[in-house]
């Protein structure tokens, strides 16, 4: 039975990846942090066979301890401060967790394996945010980086550390440069979920309007369930490498609003959406669109959920959730 340790198990991707690996017969260990973490109950409900290990990406001894408990064949480092907007407000903490956290996990593997790093396969959750002010379109594994946020800078550090440990210690270390991926499990702070939840609430009469920032940014949005499959495939190859994972399509926030409001039969959202300076960023990533040719040809990976279907799935899920919450509140 292969053994995997996942940091960030309580996040969107951690849940999908944990489910995927458990379904493949892995013994799955998930790193959880803090006291009374309320998300633990969700993890245990979705992945009943999960074994939880306490640890924190800011604390190297706890990561070494997690390696000793899990004895992993594969380590997936998904833990991070992942919200770009927050990374300006807590830039130092973002550097510690999203950037230095990668180095700590690599060091924990190096110490645990007594320098024979090829024994444990490592996946780093790198990001299209590293491309930032893009130098070419579409972006590939060879496109130079120009990060635009403390988050993007921290991810770039983590990416190069992963490459460096591969080159220095013969680590089986892969960096997945994943473009935006979403799902009904997406955090409410990200724009897709913020929109689909608000659209559900507006259509149910629970909310009057929605405040957003830049409506002209373009993103390459795919389905998180597809993207964790790409992570797993990267660690099954003969040799470690870096891969772009994306759909190859890009859409604006305005198009996201069109699709989400159309799902509830509202075609004109102009009077329902305001722009609020609080949601604009100090520096924006205007356009992301990835070229995942290498992932397709080497990993045999391709996305299965198109943009419209993804957003409709999220609106439908939020309609169900918000109806249930409203009914529960009415009963109290
Ligand atoms: P997410 O839902 O925000 O989950 C982040 C996870 O990191 C949570 O489980 C969180 O745990 C954990 N975490 C935060 N600080 C930690 C710390 N100090 N020690 C240990 N764990 C900590 O993110 P996601 O969307 O699943 O993304 C997974 C990874 O992929 C992240 O690294 C993200 O930056 C990267 N990525 C995401 C996308 C995307 O579009 N989703 C694209 C490219 C790359 P708590 O529950 O304890 O807070
Ligand atoms: N969150 C948010 N909230 N974004 C808004 C809003 C708003 O009210 N209004 C406009 N936007 C715009 C942002 O300015 C950005 O251009 C775009 O919507 C997407 O924002 P997010 O959904 O927060 O995602 P992100 O692209 O910044 O970052 C996500 O994708 C990265 C991969 O490219 C995160 O998942 C990162 O962790 C990930 O690495």
């Amino acid at each position: 039975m292969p053994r995997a340790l996942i940091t960030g198990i309580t996040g969107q991707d951690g849940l999908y990846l944990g489910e995927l690996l458990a379904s493949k017969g892995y013994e799955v260990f998930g790193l959880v942090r803090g006291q009374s973490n309320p998300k633990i109950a969700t993890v245990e409900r979705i992945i009943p066979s999960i074994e939880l290990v306490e640890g924190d990406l800011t604390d190297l001894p706890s990561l070494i301890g997690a390696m000793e408990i899990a004895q992993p064949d594969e380590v997936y480092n998904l833990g991070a401060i992942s919200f770009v907007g927050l990374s300006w407000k807590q830039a130092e903490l973002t550097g510690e967790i999203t950037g230095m956290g990668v180095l700590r996990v690599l060091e924990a593997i190096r110490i645990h394996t007594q320098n024979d790093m090829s024994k444990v396969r490592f996946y780093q959750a790198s990001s299209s945010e590293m491309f930032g002010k893009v130098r070419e379109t579409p972006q590939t594994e060879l496109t130079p980086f120009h990060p635009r946020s403390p988050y993007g800078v921290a991810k770039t550090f983590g990416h190069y550390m992963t490459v460096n440990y591969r080159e220095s210690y013969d680590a089986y270390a892969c960096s997945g440069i994943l473009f935006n991926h979403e799902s009904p499990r997406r955090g409410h702070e990200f724009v897709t979920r913020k929109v689909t939840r608000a659209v559900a609430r507006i259509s149910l009469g629970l909310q009057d309007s929605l405040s957003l920032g830049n409506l002209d940014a373009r993103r390459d949005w795919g389905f998180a369930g597809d993207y964790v499959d790409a992570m797993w495939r990267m660690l099954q190859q003969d040799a470690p490498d870096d891969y772009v994972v994306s759909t190859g399509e890009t859409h604006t926030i305005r198009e996201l609003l069109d699709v989400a409001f159309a799902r509830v039969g509202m075609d004109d959202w102009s009077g329902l959406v305001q722009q609020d300076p609080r949601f604009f960023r100090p520096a924006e990533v205007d356009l992301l669109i990835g070229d995942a040719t290498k992932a397709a040809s080497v990993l045999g990976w391709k996305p299965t959920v198109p943009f419209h279907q993804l957003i409709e799935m999220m609106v439908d899920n939020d309609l169900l959730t918000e109806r249930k919450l409203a009914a529960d509140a009415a009963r109290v």
Side-chain angles (χ1 to χ4, degrees), residues 7-15 31-34 37 39 55-59 63 77-83 93 97-98 123-129 151 155 176-182 185-187 189-190 221 224 227 231:
T7 74
I9 189 73
T10 54
Q12 170 189 258
D13 291 7
L15 287 173
L31 190 86
V32 288
R33 64 170 175 152
N37 188 328
K39 296 184 198 155
D56 195 297
L57 289 168
T58 59
D59 185 76
L63 299 174
N77 184 38
L78 310 186
I81 286 186
S82 75
F83 182 38
L93 189 62
I97 298 174
T98 305
Y123 173 84
Q124 168 55 19
S126 290
S127 166
S128 50
E129 273 290 306
Y151 169 85
K155 281 287 175 189
I177 307 174
L178 271 52
F179 284 61
N180 299 51
H181 44 279
E182 319 292 315
R185 294 177 185 165
R186 189 61 146 147
E189 63 275 39
F190 300 97
W221 280 296
Y227 285 44
M231 297 175 189

Coordinates of all heavy atoms in Angstrom, one line a residue, residues 7-15 31-34 37 39 55-59 63 77-83 93 97-98 123-129 151 155 176-182 185-187 189-190 221 224 227 231, ligand 1:
T7 N 0.2 18.1 2.8 CA 0.0 19.3 3.6 C -1.1 20.1 2.9 O -1.3 20.0 1.7 CB 1.3 20.2 3.7 OG1 1.5 20.8 2.4 CG2 2.6 19.4 4.0
G8 N -1.8 20.9 3.7 CA -3.0 21.6 3.1 C -4.2 20.6 2.9 O -5.0 20.9 2.0
I9 N -4.3 19.6 3.7 CA -5.4 18.6 3.5 C -6.7 19.3 3.7 O -7.7 18.8 3.2 CB -5.2 17.4 4.5 CG1 -6.1 16.3 4.2 CG2 -5.3 17.8 6.0 CD1 -5.9 15.5 3.0
T10 N -6.8 20.3 4.5 CA -8.1 21.0 4.8 C -8.5 21.9 3.7 O -9.6 22.5 3.8 CB -8.1 21.7 6.2 OG1 -7.0 22.7 6.1 CG2 -7.9 20.8 7.4
G11 N -7.7 22.1 2.7 CA -8.0 23.1 1.6 C -8.8 22.4 0.5 O -9.0 21.2 0.5
Q12 N -9.2 23.2 -0.5 CA -9.9 22.6 -1.6 C -9.2 21.5 -2.3 O -9.7 20.4 -2.5 CB -10.1 23.7 -2.7 CG -10.6 23.2 -4.0 CD -10.6 24.2 -5.1 OE1 -11.6 24.8 -5.4 NE2 -9.5 24.5 -5.7
D13 N -7.9 21.7 -2.6 CA -7.1 20.7 -3.4 C -6.8 19.5 -2.5 O -6.8 18.3 -2.9 CB -5.8 21.2 -3.9 CG -6.1 22.2 -5.0 OD1 -7.2 22.6 -5.3 OD2 -5.1 22.7 -5.6
G14 N -6.5 19.7 -1.2 CA -6.2 18.7 -0.3 C -7.3 17.7 -0.2 O -7.1 16.4 -0.2
L15 N -8.6 18.2 -0.1 CA -9.7 17.3 -0.1 C -9.9 16.4 -1.3 O -10.0 15.2 -1.2 CB -11.0 18.1 0.2 CG -11.2 18.7 1.6 CD1 -12.4 19.6 1.6 CD2 -11.3 17.6 2.6
L31 N -1.6 16.6 7.0 CA -1.0 17.5 8.0 C -2.1 18.5 8.4 O -2.6 19.2 7.5 CB 0.2 18.2 7.5 CG 1.0 19.0 8.5 CD1 2.0 18.0 9.2 CD2 1.8 20.1 7.8
V32 N -2.4 18.6 9.7 CA -3.3 19.6 10.2 C -2.6 20.5 11.2 O -1.8 20.0 12.0 CB -4.6 19.0 10.8 CG1 -5.5 18.5 9.7 CG2 -4.3 18.0 11.8
R33 N -3.0 21.7 11.3 CA -2.3 22.7 12.2 C -3.4 23.3 13.2 O -4.6 23.3 13.0 CB -1.7 23.8 11.5 CG -2.7 24.6 10.7 CD -2.0 25.9 10.2 NE -3.0 26.6 9.4 CZ -3.0 27.9 9.2 NH1 -2.0 28.6 9.7 NH2 -4.0 28.5 8.5
G34 N -2.8 23.8 14.3 CA -3.6 24.6 15.2 C -4.4 23.8 16.2 O -4.5 22.5 16.1
N37 N -8.9 22.8 15.1 CA -9.2 23.2 13.7 C -10.5 22.8 13.2 O -10.8 21.6 13.1 CB -8.1 22.6 12.8 CG -8.1 23.2 11.4 OD1 -9.1 23.6 10.9 ND2 -6.9 23.3 10.8
K39 N -12.0 22.6 10.5 CA -12.1 21.9 9.2 C -11.8 20.4 9.2 O -12.0 19.7 8.3 CB -11.2 22.6 8.1 CG -11.5 24.1 7.8 CD -10.6 24.6 6.8 CE -10.6 26.1 6.7 NZ -9.4 26.6 6.1
G55 N 1.0 19.4 12.6 CA 2.3 20.0 12.2 C 1.9 21.3 11.5 O 0.8 21.7 11.3
D56 N 3.0 22.1 11.3 CA 2.8 23.5 10.7 C 4.0 23.8 9.8 O 5.1 23.4 10.1 CB 2.7 24.5 11.9 CG 2.2 25.8 11.4 OD1 2.8 26.5 10.6 OD2 1.1 26.2 12.0
L57 N 3.7 24.4 8.7 CA 4.7 24.7 7.7 C 5.7 25.7 8.3 O 6.8 25.9 7.7 CB 4.1 25.2 6.4 CG 3.4 24.1 5.6 CD1 2.6 24.8 4.5 CD2 4.4 23.1 5.0
T58 N 5.4 26.4 9.4 CA 6.4 27.3 10.0 C 7.3 26.6 11.0 O 8.1 27.3 11.6 CB 5.7 28.5 10.6 OG1 4.8 28.0 11.6 CG2 4.9 29.3 9.6
D59 N 7.1 25.3 11.2 CA 7.8 24.6 12.3 C 8.5 23.3 11.8 O 7.8 22.3 11.6 CB 6.7 24.3 13.3 CG 7.2 23.6 14.6 OD1 7.8 24.4 15.4 OD2 7.1 22.4 14.7
L63 N 7.5 19.1 11.1 CA 7.4 18.5 9.7 C 8.3 17.2 9.7 O 7.9 16.2 9.1 CB 7.9 19.5 8.7 CG 7.0 20.7 8.5 CD1 7.7 21.7 7.6 CD2 5.6 20.4 8.1
N77 N 3.0 19.0 -1.2 CA 3.0 20.2 -0.4 C 2.0 21.2 -1.0 O 2.3 22.0 -1.8 CB 4.4 20.8 -0.4 CG 4.4 22.0 0.5 OD1 3.7 22.0 1.6 ND2 5.1 23.1 0.1
L78 N 0.8 21.1 -0.4 CA -0.3 22.0 -0.9 C -0.6 23.1 0.1 O -1.3 24.1 -0.2 CB -1.6 21.2 -1.1 CG -1.6 19.9 -1.9 CD1 -3.0 19.4 -2.1 CD2 -0.9 20.2 -3.3
G79 N 0.0 23.1 1.3 CA -0.3 24.1 2.3 C 0.3 25.4 1.9 O 1.4 25.5 1.4
A80 N -0.4 26.5 2.2 CA 0.0 27.8 1.8 C -1.0 28.9 2.3 O -2.1 28.5 2.5 CB 0.2 28.0 0.3
I81 N -0.5 30.1 2.5 CA -1.5 31.2 2.4 C -1.7 31.4 0.9 O -0.8 31.7 0.1 CB -0.9 32.5 3.0 CG1 -0.9 32.4 4.5 CG2 -1.7 33.7 2.5 CD1 -0.5 33.6 5.3
S82 N -2.9 31.0 0.4 CA -3.1 30.9 -1.0 C -3.9 32.1 -1.6 O -4.1 32.1 -2.8 CB -3.8 29.6 -1.3 OG -5.2 29.7 -1.0
F83 N -4.4 33.0 -0.7 CA -5.2 34.1 -1.2 C -4.3 35.3 -1.6 O -3.7 35.9 -0.7 CB -6.3 34.4 -0.2 CG -7.2 35.5 -0.6 CD1 -7.7 35.6 -2.0 CD2 -7.7 36.5 0.3 CE1 -8.5 36.7 -2.4 CE2 -8.5 37.5 -0.1 CZ -8.9 37.6 -1.5
L93 N 4.2 36.9 6.7 CA 3.7 35.6 7.0 C 3.5 34.7 5.7 O 3.8 33.5 5.7 CB 2.3 35.7 7.7 CG 1.7 34.4 8.2 CD1 2.6 33.8 9.3 CD2 0.3 34.6 8.8
I97 N 5.2 31.1 5.2 CA 4.4 29.8 5.0 C 4.5 29.4 3.5 O 4.8 28.2 3.2 CB 2.9 30.0 5.4 CG1 2.8 30.4 6.9 CG2 2.1 28.8 5.0 CD1 1.4 30.7 7.4
T98 N 4.2 30.3 2.6 CA 4.0 29.9 1.2 C 5.4 29.8 0.5 O 5.6 29.0 -0.4 CB 3.2 31.0 0.4 OG1 2.0 31.2 1.1 CG2 3.0 30.7 -1.0
Y123 N 5.9 16.7 -4.5 CA 5.1 17.6 -5.4 C 5.0 18.9 -4.7 O 4.6 19.0 -3.6 CB 3.7 17.0 -5.6 CG 2.9 18.0 -6.4 CD1 2.9 18.1 -7.8 CD2 2.0 18.9 -5.7 CE1 2.2 19.0 -8.5 CE2 1.3 19.9 -6.4 CZ 1.4 19.9 -7.8 OH 0.7 20.8 -8.5
Q124 N 5.4 20.0 -5.4 CA 5.2 21.3 -5.0 C 4.1 22.0 -5.8 O 4.1 22.0 -7.0 CB 6.5 22.1 -5.1 CG 6.4 23.7 -4.9 CD 5.7 24.1 -3.6 OE1 5.6 23.3 -2.6 NE2 5.2 25.3 -3.5
A125 N 3.2 22.6 -5.0 CA 2.0 23.3 -5.6 C 2.4 24.7 -6.0 O 2.2 25.7 -5.4 CB 0.9 23.4 -4.6
S126 N 3.1 24.8 -7.2 CA 3.5 26.1 -7.8 C 2.3 26.7 -8.5 O 1.2 26.0 -8.6 CB 4.7 25.9 -8.7 OG 5.8 25.6 -7.9
S127 N 2.4 27.9 -9.0 CA 1.3 28.7 -9.5 C 1.5 29.5 -10.7 O 2.6 30.1 -10.9 CB 0.8 29.6 -8.3 OG -0.1 30.5 -8.8
S128 N 0.5 29.7 -11.5 CA 0.6 30.6 -12.6 C 0.7 32.0 -12.2 O 1.1 32.9 -13.0 CB -0.7 30.5 -13.5 OG -1.9 30.5 -12.7
E129 N 0.5 32.3 -10.9 CA 0.8 33.7 -10.4 C 2.3 34.0 -10.6 O 2.6 35.2 -10.5 CB 0.4 33.7 -8.9 CG -1.0 34.1 -8.6 CD -1.4 35.6 -9.0 OE1 -0.7 36.5 -8.5 OE2 -2.3 35.8 -9.7
Y151 N 2.5 36.9 -2.6 CA 2.2 35.5 -2.9 C 3.0 34.9 -4.1 O 3.6 33.9 -4.0 CB 0.7 35.3 -3.1 CG 0.3 33.9 -3.6 CD1 0.0 32.9 -2.7 CD2 0.1 33.7 -5.0 CE1 -0.3 31.6 -3.2 CE2 -0.3 32.4 -5.4 CZ -0.5 31.4 -4.5 OH -0.8 30.1 -5.0
K155 N 5.8 32.0 -4.1 CA 5.6 30.8 -4.9 C 6.9 30.6 -5.8 O 7.3 29.5 -6.0 CB 4.4 30.8 -5.7 CG 3.1 30.5 -4.9 CD 3.0 29.0 -4.6 CE 1.8 28.7 -3.7 NZ 1.8 27.3 -3.2
G176 N 4.4 21.6 -10.0 CA 3.2 21.7 -10.9 C 2.8 23.2 -11.0 O 2.5 23.8 -9.9
I177 N 2.9 23.8 -12.2 CA 2.6 25.2 -12.3 C 1.1 25.2 -12.7 O 0.7 25.2 -13.9 CB 3.5 25.9 -13.4 CG1 5.0 25.6 -13.0 CG2 3.1 27.4 -13.5 CD1 5.9 26.1 -14.1
L178 N 0.2 25.2 -11.7 CA -1.2 25.1 -11.9 C -1.9 26.5 -12.1 O -1.6 27.4 -11.3 CB -1.9 24.3 -10.8 CG -1.9 22.8 -11.0 CD1 -0.5 22.2 -11.3 CD2 -2.5 22.1 -9.8
F179 N -2.7 26.6 -13.1 CA -3.5 27.7 -13.3 C -4.7 27.6 -12.4 O -4.9 26.6 -11.8 CB -3.9 27.9 -14.8 CG -2.7 28.4 -15.6 CD1 -1.5 27.7 -15.7 CD2 -2.8 29.6 -16.3 CE1 -0.4 28.2 -16.4 CE2 -1.7 30.1 -17.0 CZ -0.5 29.4 -17.1
N180 N -5.5 28.7 -12.3 CA -6.7 28.7 -11.4 C -7.6 27.5 -11.6 O -8.0 27.2 -12.7 CB -7.5 30.0 -11.6 CG -6.7 31.3 -11.4 OD1 -5.7 31.4 -12.0 ND2 -7.3 32.2 -10.7
H181 N -7.9 26.9 -10.4 CA -8.8 25.8 -10.5 C -9.8 25.9 -9.3 O -9.5 26.3 -8.2 CB -8.1 24.4 -10.5 CG -7.0 24.3 -9.6 ND1 -5.8 24.8 -9.8 CD2 -7.0 23.7 -8.4 CE1 -5.0 24.5 -8.8 NE2 -5.7 23.9 -7.9
E182 N -11.1 25.6 -9.6 CA -12.2 26.0 -8.8 C -13.1 24.8 -8.6 O -12.9 23.7 -9.3 CB -13.0 27.1 -9.5 CG -12.1 28.2 -10.2 CD -11.4 29.0 -9.2 OE1 -11.9 29.5 -8.2 OE2 -10.1 29.3 -9.5
R185 N -16.0 23.4 -3.6 CA -15.3 23.4 -2.3 C -14.4 24.6 -2.3 O -13.6 24.8 -1.3 CB -14.4 22.2 -2.2 CG -15.3 20.9 -2.0 CD -14.4 19.7 -1.9 NE -15.2 18.5 -1.9 CZ -14.8 17.3 -2.1 NH1 -13.5 17.1 -2.4 NH2 -15.6 16.2 -2.0
R186 N -14.4 25.5 -3.2 CA -13.5 26.7 -3.3 C -13.8 27.6 -2.1 O -15.0 27.8 -1.7 CB -13.7 27.4 -4.6 CG -12.8 28.5 -4.9 CD -11.4 28.1 -5.0 NE -10.6 28.8 -6.0 CZ -9.3 29.1 -5.9 NH1 -8.6 28.7 -4.8 NH2 -8.7 29.7 -6.8
G187 N -12.8 28.2 -1.5 CA -13.0 29.2 -0.4 C -13.8 30.4 -0.9 O -13.8 30.8 -2.1
E189 N -13.5 33.5 -0.5 CA -12.7 34.7 -0.8 C -12.3 34.8 -2.2 O -12.0 35.9 -2.7 CB -11.5 34.8 0.2 CG -10.4 33.7 0.0 CD -10.7 32.4 0.8 OE1 -11.9 32.0 0.9 OE2 -9.7 31.9 1.3
F190 N -12.3 33.7 -2.9 CA -11.8 33.7 -4.3 C -13.0 34.1 -5.2 O -14.2 33.9 -4.9 CB -11.3 32.3 -4.7 CG -10.2 31.9 -3.9 CD1 -10.4 31.0 -2.8 CD2 -8.9 32.3 -4.2 CE1 -9.3 30.7 -2.0 CE2 -7.8 32.0 -3.3 CZ -8.0 31.2 -2.3
W221 N -9.5 29.2 -16.0 CA -10.2 28.5 -14.9 C -10.5 27.1 -15.3 O -11.3 26.8 -16.2 CB -11.5 29.2 -14.5 CG -11.4 30.4 -13.7 CD1 -10.9 30.5 -12.4 CD2 -11.8 31.7 -14.0 NE1 -11.0 31.8 -11.9 CE2 -11.6 32.6 -12.9 CE3 -12.4 32.3 -15.2 CZ2 -11.9 33.9 -12.9 CZ3 -12.8 33.6 -15.1 CH2 -12.5 34.4 -14.0
A224 N -11.0 21.8 -10.1 CA -10.0 21.3 -9.1 C -9.8 19.7 -9.2 O -8.7 19.2 -9.0 CB -10.3 21.7 -7.7
Y227 N -7.4 18.7 -11.7 CA -6.0 19.2 -11.5 C -5.3 18.4 -10.4 O -4.1 18.2 -10.6 CB -6.0 20.7 -11.1 CG -6.3 21.6 -12.3 CD1 -7.3 21.3 -13.2 CD2 -5.6 22.8 -12.5 CE1 -7.6 22.1 -14.3 CE2 -5.8 23.6 -13.6 CZ -6.8 23.2 -14.5 OH -7.1 24.0 -15.6
M231 N -1.5 16.3 -10.5 CA -0.5 16.2 -9.5 C 0.0 14.8 -9.3 O 1.2 14.5 -9.2 CB -1.0 16.7 -8.1 CG -1.5 18.1 -8.1 SD -2.2 18.4 -6.4 CE -2.9 20.1 -6.7
Ligands
LIG1 P1 -6.6 26.5 0.1 O1 -8.0 25.9 -0.1 O2 -6.5 27.9 0.5 O3 -5.9 25.6 1.2 C1 -4.7 26.0 1.8 C2 -4.3 25.0 2.8 O4 -3.0 25.4 3.4 C3 -5.2 24.8 4.0 O5 -5.4 23.4 4.2 C4 -4.6 25.4 5.1 O6 -4.8 24.9 6.4 C5 -3.1 25.2 4.8 N1 -2.2 26.0 5.5 C6 -2.1 27.4 5.6 N2 -1.2 27.7 6.4 C7 -0.5 26.6 6.9 C8 0.5 26.4 7.8 N3 1.2 27.4 8.4 N4 0.9 25.1 8.0 C9 0.2 24.1 7.4 N5 -0.8 24.3 6.6 C10 -1.2 25.5 6.3 O7 -5.8 26.3 -1.2 P2 -6.0 25.4 -2.5 O8 -6.9 26.1 -3.5 O9 -6.5 24.0 -2.0 O10 -4.6 25.3 -3.1 C11 -3.7 24.3 -2.8 C12 -2.3 24.8 -3.1 O11 -2.1 25.0 -4.5 C13 -1.8 26.1 -2.4 O12 -0.5 26.0 -2.1 C14 -2.1 27.1 -3.5 O13 -1.3 28.2 -3.3 C15 -1.7 26.3 -4.7 N6 -2.4 26.7 -6.0 C16 -3.7 26.8 -6.0 C17 -4.3 27.1 -7.2 C18 -5.9 27.3 -7.3 O14 -6.3 27.9 -8.2 N7 -6.6 26.7 -6.3 C19 -3.6 27.4 -8.4 C20 -2.2 27.3 -8.3 C21 -1.6 26.9 -7.1 P3 -5.9 25.5 7.5 O15 -7.2 24.9 7.2 O16 -5.3 25.1 8.8 O17 -5.9 27.0 7.2

